[in-house]
Amino acid sequence: MELKKIAIVFGTRPEAIKMAPLIKELKKTPELYDVKIIVTAQHREMLDQVLKVFKITPDYDLNIMRSEQTLSDITAMVLKKLECIFIKESPDMVLVHGDTTTSFTAALAAYYQQIPIGHVEAGLRTNDKYFPFPEEVNRQFIDTIADLYFVPTKTTKVNLLKENKPEEKIFVTGNTAIDAIHYTLQQTGQHSIQKILDPSQKWILLTMHGRENYGQPMKEVFEAVRKVVETYKSVSVIMPVHLSPSVQKAAESSLGNHDRIHLIPPLKVDDFHKVLKKVYLVLTDSGGLQEEAPALNLPVLVLRNNTERPEGQKAGTLKVIGTKKERVYKEIIELLEDEVQYKKMSLAPNPYGDGFASVYIVKALTEYFKKEGKFFKEQGDSER
Ligand code: UD1
Ligand code: UDP
C-alpha cells in the first residue's frame, strides 16, 4: 500500500478524547499513514486540556471559538476554513467523530471536495431530531455522506443497516473512549481535588451541558441535587462545570454556596478519570460519560428523555431518568438507599469495547486502502 494522507478533524473536548487514541495508533505506522491533525477549536480551553494530556500537536488550528457562539457561527467558519486546507492538502481520507457541529461541517467540507469520509462512532440514533439537539441531525447527515462507518456496537451497526448503508462499509470496533481510559489511568500525577474526596462521604459526580437541557430542565435537575445534599449529610457533590456561559450561570445560581457542593473548573481528562474511580454515582447528560462510567463500574443516571446508547440501558448500567425535579430526586435517593439495586447497576458489564477500538479502526482502514478503487467500483460509487 502506498503512503496515505489521513486528515483528522475535531474541535471539542469529547471528540479530542476519543480521536486521540486513534491518532496515536495511526502514527505508529508512518510508512503507511501521513496524519494531518486539524483542530477547529470549537472549544478552546477544554480542547487544549486534552491535547496536552495526549501530547498531540495539531498541524492546523482554526481557532474559531467565540463566547456564546451560535450553530451557524461554527458551521460557517469551519466550512470556509476547511475548504482551503482540504484543497491544499488533498487528503486520501478525512476522519471525523460522532455528532458535533465541527464533525458535521468537516464531513460536508470533505464531501464538497469529493474526499472519502470515515465516520468514527457512527450509527448512534435516537431518531428524534431535537433530542439531542443538534447532535441527532449532525450524525444522520454525516452518515448520509460517509464512506466508511466505524461503529461502537452491534446495535449501532443495525441502525445503519436499517438505513440501507452497505454492510461491507460498516466495522464494529468498540468505542475509542475505552481506549482513552486505558491511557489516562496510566498517567501519573494527582490533582488537588482528589484530596477533598473524603471517603466517609458518598460522592455524586454531576455534569450537564446539552443545549436541549438549557433553562428549565437544568434548573430542575440542579434543584433536585441540592435537595438531596440538604437531606443527606453523608452526600457530597462534585461538578466540573462546562465553560458554556449558560451552564455556568445555571450551576452557580442553583448549586452555588453550599459546602458539600463543589463547583470546579473542567478537569484535565486524566484527573477526571481518576476522580470518576472514587465517586459513588454519576449524574449526567454527557454521551462520553455514559460509555466511560460503565467501564469503571459506576452506575449512571442519564439526565435526558432518551439515549442513543441503549446498550448501556440493556446491560443495566445506565438508567434514563429525564430532567423533572421529583423524578431526579427519587432516583438518586433510590441508589443511595437500595444497595441491591446499586450493586446490580455498578456490576453490569461494560458494552462499549475492550480498549482496542483504535487498533480495529486502523486495521479496517488499511483493508479499505488495499482494496481501494475496486471497493468503490464494486459499490457503484465515485471513481476516485
Ligand atoms: C459542544 C457540542 C456538543 C458536545 C459538547 C461537548 C455542538 C453543537 N455541540 O457543545 O455536541 O456534547 O460540545 O462538551 O457541536 N466554551 C469556552 N471554552 C471552551 C469550551 C466552551 O469558553 O473550552 C464556551 C464558549 O462560550 C462557547 C460555549 O462554551 O461559545 C458553547 O460551546 P459550543 O461548542 O458551542 O457548545 P457546547 O455546549 O460546548
Ligand atoms: N471530561 C473531562 N473533564 C471534565 C469533565 C468531563 O475531561 O471536567 C471528559 C469525560 O471523561 C468524557 C468527556 O469529557 O470523556 C465528555 O465530554 P462532554 O461531557 O464535554 O461531551 P459529551 O460526551 O456530552 O459529548
Side-chain angles (χ1 to χ4, degrees):
M1 177 181 128
E2 298 163 16
L3 183 69
K4 297 294 173 190
K5 190 184 281 186
I6 308 287
I8 302 191
V9 187
F10 54 96
T12 66
R13 171 172 70 189
E15 292 161 76
I17 293 168
K18 292 174 178 180
M19 282 306 220
L22 181 54
I23 291 170
K24 291 201 172 296
E25 193 57 36
L26 280 167
K27 287 206 167 195
K28 283 184 188 164
T29 47
E31 68 287 5
L32 295 182
Y33 294 111
D34 173 14
V35 181
K36 295 287 172 210
I37 299 162
I38 305 169
V39 298
T40 65
Q42 175 179 334
H43 285 171
R44 185 69 278 171
E45 300 86 344
M46 285 158 59
L47 172 75
D48 291 343
Q49 281 185 320
V50 182
L51 296 177
K52 201 167 161 198
V53 170
F54 286 93
K55 303 181 185 72
I56 291 172
T57 310
D59 297 286
Y60 295 91
D61 188 331
L62 311 187
N63 199 27
I64 63 141
M65 194 192 82
R66 304 285 176 272
S67 179
E68 302 192 56
Q69 60 206 2
T70 66
L71 299 175
S72 318
D73 291 334
I74 304 167
T75 309
M77 279 192 284
V78 171
L79 193 62
K80 197 64 205 156
K81 289 188 182 209
L82 281 181
E83 179 181 52
C84 307
I85 297 174
F86 287 167
I87 290 172
K88 179 172 166 232
E89 291 287 351
S90 188
D92 295 291
M93 176 161 293
V94 171
L95 293 180
V96 298
H97 183 277
D99 52 23
T100 67
T101 295
T102 280
S103 305
F104 155 62
T105 312
L108 186 62
Y111 170 69
Y112 284 166
Q113 299 307 317
Q114 299 188 22
I115 301 165
I117 300 157
H119 189 193
V120 180
E121 201 184 84
L124 278 69
R125 296 287 184 271
T126 61
N127 289 311
D128 178 341
K129 73 177 183 178
Y130 290 116
F131 274 95
F133 172 75
E135 290 80 5
E136 178 64 14
V137 165
N138 282 346
R139 57 194 171 215
Q140 291 201 24
F141 276 159
I142 299 171
D143 285 335
T144 300
I145 53 178
D147 297 276
L148 290 183
Y149 305 93
F150 304 108
V151 299
T153 61
K154 284 190 185 133
T155 312
T156 38
K157 175 173 176 175
V158 170
N159 290 342
L160 292 178
L161 292 176
K162 279 189 199 151
E163 295 173 8
N164 299 318
K165 308 289 191 286
E167 187 165 11
E168 56 276 35
K169 292 184 175 184
I170 307 172
F171 300 88
V172 181
T173 63
N175 199 305
T176 55
I178 311 300
D179 308 22
I181 293 187
H182 287 193
Y183 174 87
T184 54
L185 291 181
Q186 283 167 10
Q187 304 305 301
T188 51
Q190 204 195 31
H191 190 277
S192 55
I193 195 71
Q194 289 188 52
K195 293 191 196 117
I196 70 154
L197 293 173
D198 170 0
S200 67
Q201 290 279 295
K202 276 186 175 162
W203 287 85
I204 296 176
L205 183 126
L206 169 64
T207 79
M208 199 169 184
H209 65 75
R211 272 176 163 78
E212 67 283 355
N213 280 332
Y214 284 0
Q216 190 63 17
M218 233 172 238
K219 186 166 181 279
E220 293 208 26
V221 167
F222 294 168
E223 284 176 4
V225 169
R226 191 171 187 114
K227 191 171 156 199
V228 170
V229 177
E230 280 166 358
T231 315
Y232 289 78
K233 303 288 172 242
S234 59
V235 171
S236 292
V237 170
I238 181 163
M239 179 179 189
V241 188
H242 190 291
L243 295 179
S244 160
S246 309
V247 182
Q248 296 264 327
K249 276 181 224 148
E252 194 47 51
S253 124
S254 303
L255 294 170
N257 292 320
H258 193 294
D259 59 359
R260 277 181 289 112
I261 301 178
H262 301 266
L263 302 181
I264 59 166
L267 288 167
K268 289 201 289 112
V269 62
D270 50 344
D271 294 325
F272 185 77
H273 288 161
K274 286 175 196 154
V275 167
L276 266 186
K277 282 194 76 165
K278 295 194 168 175
V279 303
Y280 180 80
L281 166 67
V282 174
L283 274 184
T284 192
D285 65 356
S286 153
L289 264 171
Q290 290 178 60
E291 292 143 2
E292 292 170 347
L296 299 170
N297 293 331
L298 266 174
V300 183
L301 295 178
V302 182
L303 302 166
R304 296 170 37 170
N305 298 327
N306 54 24
T307 182
E308 58 289 89
R309 290 162 172 90
E311 309 85 356
Q313 264 179 312
K314 206 167 152 208
T317 174
L318 310 180
K319 188 165 182 189
V320 175
I321 63 166
T323 54
K324 294 280 178 232
K325 184 172 171 181
E326 279 78 47
R327 170 97 195 268
V328 173
Y329 179 78
K330 183 183 139 285
E331 296 284 354
I332 300 173
I333 299 304
E334 195 175 306
L335 281 186
L336 288 172
E337 294 191 342
D338 185 343
E339 272 190 31
V340 177
Q341 172 66 5
Y342 178 83
K343 278 221 173 93
K344 214 169 133 196
M345 280 183 84
S346 54
L347 296 178
N350 151 40
Y352 295 110
D354 57 8
F356 292 97
S358 326
V359 175
Y360 305 135
I361 292 172
V362 173
K363 247 175 122 174
L365 265 179
T366 306
E367 193 185 309
Y368 161 81
F369 281 119
K370 283 188 177 156
K371 295 197 276 194
E372 197 186 17
K374 247 198 290 169
F375 193 87
F376 271 125
K377 278 177 203 149
E378 277 163 14
Q379 304 310 317
D381 278 342
S382 135
E383 293 287 322
R384 279 179 55 83

